[in-house]
Amino acid sequence: MPRGDKSSYTGKQKRQAEHIEESEKARGRGEEAAERIAWATVNKQDGGGKQSGSGRKSAARKSAKKSATKKSATKKATAKKATGGARKTAKKATKKTASRSAAKSTARKATKKAAKKTAAARKSPAKKTARKTAAKKTARKTAARKSSPRKSAAKKATKKTATRKSSPAKKTAAKKTARKTTGRATKKAAKKSATKKAAARTGARKSPTRKATKKSTRRAAKKPAR
């Protein structure tokens, strides 16, 4: 068979090669490279041409297929064993990490609980004292509220009594001051009237002498000089 002859390939294989070649060209490969890659993939998949009368024996193909299936089965078994062992080891590791994390979480929870207990034990006397002080403050406030109306009533009563006591005394004092002022005013008026009367009397007595002196002065002025 000359090189490059594709007569031993079936139509299906040729179509597969054409599809692969088109896809490689679409990716940017050249014609020769795309064709080479296409037929190489077909040969890798099918082991060459499948056309009857291509010069290859079916027994050889069957033995090759059996050996390939056996190899693939052994590979699969080894892969399964490897994956199973890896899974087992991974499970064991996850179990160990989970147990460690659980232990850590339990230890953390225990420490948190202990810290909470200690904090509560510390806070309890402080809370009791705070409650006692609050109760004392409220009792003082209530006592002050109760006593405040009593004090105010007592203050009002004392004020009333003081005003009652002071009002007659004030009235009497006002009357006394009014009497004093009126007495003083009357005394001043009497003094003024007495002074006026005395002045009038003295004026009446002095008036004839003044008249005589005035007449004498007038006569002297009228007499001619000798």
Side-chain angles (χ1 to χ4, degrees), residues 6-20 38-39 42 45-46 48-51:
K6 303 294 188 293
S7 60
S8 62
Y9 292 93
T10 61
K12 186 177 179 181
Q13 287 177 336
K14 289 177 182 179
R15 288 193 297 275
Q16 286 179 354
E18 285 177 359
H19 286 298
I20 294 166
W39 288 107
V42 171
Q45 287 176 0
D46 299 331
K50 291 182 179 180
Q51 189 76 25

Side-chain angles (χ1 to χ4, degrees), residues 81-120:
K81 285 180 181 179
T83 54
R87 285 177 184 173
K88 286 180 182 179
T89 53
K91 284 181 181 180
K92 286 180 182 179
T94 52
K95 285 181 181 179
K96 285 181 181 180
T97 53
S99 62
R100 287 177 184 175
S101 63
K104 286 181 180 179
S105 65
T106 52
R108 286 176 184 173
K109 287 179 181 179
T111 52
K112 284 182 180 179
K113 285 181 181 179
K116 285 181 180 179
K117 285 180 181 179
T118 53

